[in-house]
């Protein structure tokens, strides 16, 4: 039985994924509870989910940048933008970020309380070897929907900063529109 009252102001601090959480919490508490942020310090967070964050994830994966340490992030992002999240705009729309073939397996790794991020990384690489063979370049399509991946890759190659803009020729209603809507639901750039 808590006897503490909720204050009407708060400080928020976070970096990387915590940076995103910091901004999201500050905005959520402000709008839902009237708690005004006195100071919000958020650094290096993935604030532009609708544009830069996923495209950078694909580009960095294709380039092999630190993927051996950060492969698990593909599952974290995939779980948010797939039919495992009933609050996402693309829920049940056939526009999941995780591919149909390995969604349940990937989510089982994420939900295993005994798995560390290193364990998840090891499972991802083992899956890749089973699918593609040993000594092949990792393909994010082992986990992610190849239609969505190609949509983002094509936009990046064309120099398109916002593939979720309906004016972009690669934006297709019924193929990636609900996925884009889910990204924009989690984009914090307007809050900043």
């Amino acid at each position: 039985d808590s006897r503490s009252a909720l204050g009407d102001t708060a400080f928020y601090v976070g970096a990387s994924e915590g940076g995103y959480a910091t901004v999201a919490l500050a905005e959520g508490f402000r709008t839902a509870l009237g708690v005004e942020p006195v100071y919000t310090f958020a650094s290096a967070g993935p604030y532009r989910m609708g544009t830069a964050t996923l495209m950078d994830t694909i580009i960095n994966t294709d380039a092999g940048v630190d993927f051996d340490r950060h492969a698990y992030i593909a599952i974290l992002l995939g779980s948010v933008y797939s039919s495992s999240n009933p609050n996402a705009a693309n829920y049940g729309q056939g526009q999941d970020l995780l591919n149909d073939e390995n969604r349940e397996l990937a989510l089982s790794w994420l939900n295993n309380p005994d798995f560390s991020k290193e364990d998840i990384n090891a499972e991802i690489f083992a899956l890749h070897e089973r699918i593609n063979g040993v000594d092949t370049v990792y393909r994010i399509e082992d986990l992610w929907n190849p239609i969505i991946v190609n949509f983002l890759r094509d936009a990046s190659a064309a120099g398109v900063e916002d593939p979720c803009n309906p004016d972009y020729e690669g934006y297709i209603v019924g193929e990636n529109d609900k996925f884009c809507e889910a990204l924009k639901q989690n984009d914090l750039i307007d809050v900043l």
Side-chain angles (χ1 to χ4, degrees), residues 85-182:
N85 179 1
N87 297 315
N90 62 330
Y91 181 80
Q93 299 295 311
Q95 298 180 29
D96 289 354
L97 183 55
L98 287 173
N99 68 36
D100 293 339
E101 295 80 21
N102 296 310
R103 179 186 311 112
E104 295 308 316
L105 180 61
L107 292 174
S108 74
W109 301 331
L110 187 61
N111 293 320
N112 185 334
D114 297 325
F115 269 27
S116 66
K117 61 185 176 184
E118 292 79 14
D119 295 327
I120 294 172
N121 288 346
E123 292 293 335
I124 290 170
F125 290 117
L127 172 67
H128 169 74
E129 287 184 4
R130 283 193 305 274
I131 294 171
N132 304 297
V134 180
D135 296 328
T136 57
V137 175
Y138 177 78
R139 297 169 7 99
I140 200 155
E141 295 93 325
D142 293 346
L143 293 172
W144 283 5
N145 178 340
I147 293 170
I148 299 293
V149 171
N150 288 331
F151 161 65
L152 296 171
R153 273 192 187 126
D154 291 347
S156 178
V160 173
E161 290 186 23
D162 183 3
C164 292
N165 181 333
D167 293 333
Y168 168 53
E169 65 184 26
Y171 177 92
I172 301 170
V173 174
E175 186 172 298
N176 52 38
D177 61 316
K178 294 298 182 182
F179 171 74
C180 283
E181 190 178 330

Side-chain angles (χ1 to χ4, degrees), residues 24-37:
L25 281 171
E27 179 63 6
F29 279 24
R30 185 187 66 75
T31 57
L33 302 173
V35 176
E36 289 298 318

Side-chain angles (χ1 to χ4, degrees), residues 7-47:
D8 58 0
T9 60
F11 287 84
Y12 303 90
V13 178
S16 192
E17 291 110 354
Y20 178 91
T22 296
V23 174
L25 281 171
E27 179 63 6
F29 279 24
R30 185 187 66 75
T31 57
L33 302 173
V35 176
E36 289 298 318
V38 174
Y39 184 79
T40 302
F41 179 78
S43 65
Y47 311 112

